[in-house]
Amino acid sequence: MLFKTLSAAVYGIDANLIEVEVDYSGVVSNEEHFHTVGLPDAAVRESRDRVRAAIKNSGYLIPPTFITINLAPADLKKEGSGFDLPIAVGILGAYGALRNDDLGKFMMLGELGLDGSVRPIPGVLPVAILAREKAIPNLILPAANAAEAAVVEGVNVYPVTTLLDVLDLLNSAVMGVIQREPFRIATGEILGRLEQFSVDFCDVRGQQTAKRALEVAAAGSHNILMIGPPGSGKTMLAKRLPSILAPLTFQEALETTRIHSVAGVLNGDGLVTQRPFRSPHHTISDAGLIGGGIVPRPGEVSLAHNGLLFLDELPEFPRNVLEVMRQPLEDHTVTIARASMSLSFPARFMLAAAMNPCPCGYLYC
Ligand SMILES: Nc1ncnc2c1ncn2[C@@H]1O[C@H](COP(=O)(O)OP(=O)(O)O)[C@@H](O)[C@H]1O
Ligand SMILES: [Mg+2]
């Protein structure tokens, strides 16, 4: 018996549609056999143990048969734990636990706990954008990720907390239409909320020239370098810079949220509503700054997209790390090539840097 579910894998800041095909055949003595094919990484391969336990603890028994799971297209590397849910639903569907045997109108993603609970995963916003592009109307996601995906209009997001909840939801669907209200979020309201900053530009005493320079830089999104002796307030000024930047537009907020979603650094709000302020320590590696990994992930320059990247104690950064900043500063994008793929991330940020004028810090003082 063959059963198909739809899911997605995120590469860079874009998602690709992945079909999860489940097939079982033949009775195998004593133990069940479970094979995952389609270039899975360790987390995807391990999913069989989570899925098996989650199905058992949700009250279903899988007969000891030979199960093959194919993640198609088979030539793309799959990583992460988000395929747990489509695999589990596929297995249950193959064994007849679902009333509906065509899940072409549902896309699902989520990590499973051994008890059958559905856990959050990173990179849900690009998946919602993909669902809209592919005209797949329903998106089933872990409850903690719902706000992030609901930002995209035109897809119905259904938050779920357990595997049984998912089965309930799918069994309640009539002709691909779910009999439950989708999760909605008022994006305009979130963006319009008064911005709250823990530190504010008005805390700065005096320093008229420095303040003026920062205001001009903030207005035009110009890069700025502050040079001065220790204790003169460089770090303090830079930390207060976000409070005088222009508010994010909806399009900018969506772009930034997409990157933060992929990197898994979003807080529960769903949408990034303030310009990001990233201030990496000078011990950061070049891969940490521009992005990296086997399937490349965004680095600090991309996390600061539409916001501020602050490099404190600039000369302390290793030369090779500063050199990699050239491309993003000129092109506003970074391209990371790895053996498996080459990906581009947006990186349009305002660079602020601070340094002492000499190693002791008191030159000309
Ligand atoms: N113009 C100023 N207004 C208010 N506080 C200031 C000012 N300049 C310096 N300070 C105080 O001095 C502290 C040290 O400043 P800091 O930003 O760490 O200096 P730097 O980074 O230049 O070494 C700050 O935390 C702040 O409390
Ligand atoms: Mg400082």
Side-chain angles (χ1 to χ4, degrees), residues 203-205 207 229-236:
D203 304 336
V204 185
R205 299 275 165 270
Q207 292 281 27
S232 56
K234 304 180 296 292
T235 308
M236 186 224 27

Side-chain angles (χ1 to χ4, degrees), residues 60 67 100 127 133-134 158 160 181 231 259 283 286 323 326 354:
Y60 289 88
I67 300 175
N100 199 340
V127 174
E133 278 170 16
K134 299 272 177 197
Y158 296 96
V160 287
E181 271 302 298
I259 299 168
T283 49
D286 48 355
E323 289 291 335
R326 284 175 190 273

Side-chain angles (χ1 to χ4, degrees), residues 27-97:
V27 176
V28 176
S29 60
N30 297 332
E31 53 173 320
E32 77 209 72
H33 286 250
F34 203 118
H35 284 273
T36 316
V37 294
L39 297 185
D41 78 342
V44 182
R45 269 198 305 272
E46 281 177 357
S47 104
R48 67 183 136 190
D49 298 318
R50 288 190 296 272
V51 166
R52 186 185 290 135
I55 290 181
K56 191 187 85 193
N57 292 326
S58 299
Y60 289 88
L61 263 185
I62 311 179
T65 42
F66 200 90
I67 300 175
T68 309
I69 290 153
N70 180 31
L71 306 173
D75 60 342
L76 276 180
K77 271 198 164 65
K78 322 292 182 314
E79 59 157 29
S81 50
F83 296 110
D84 290 5
L85 183 60
I87 290 177
V89 171
I91 292 175
L92 289 170
Y95 282 106

Side-chain angles (χ1 to χ4, degrees), residues 139-162:
L139 196 53
I140 300 177
L141 290 175
N145 291 125
E148 191 180 329
V151 166
V152 179
E153 282 175 10
V155 264
N156 298 322
V157 176
Y158 296 96
V160 287
T161 49
T162 61

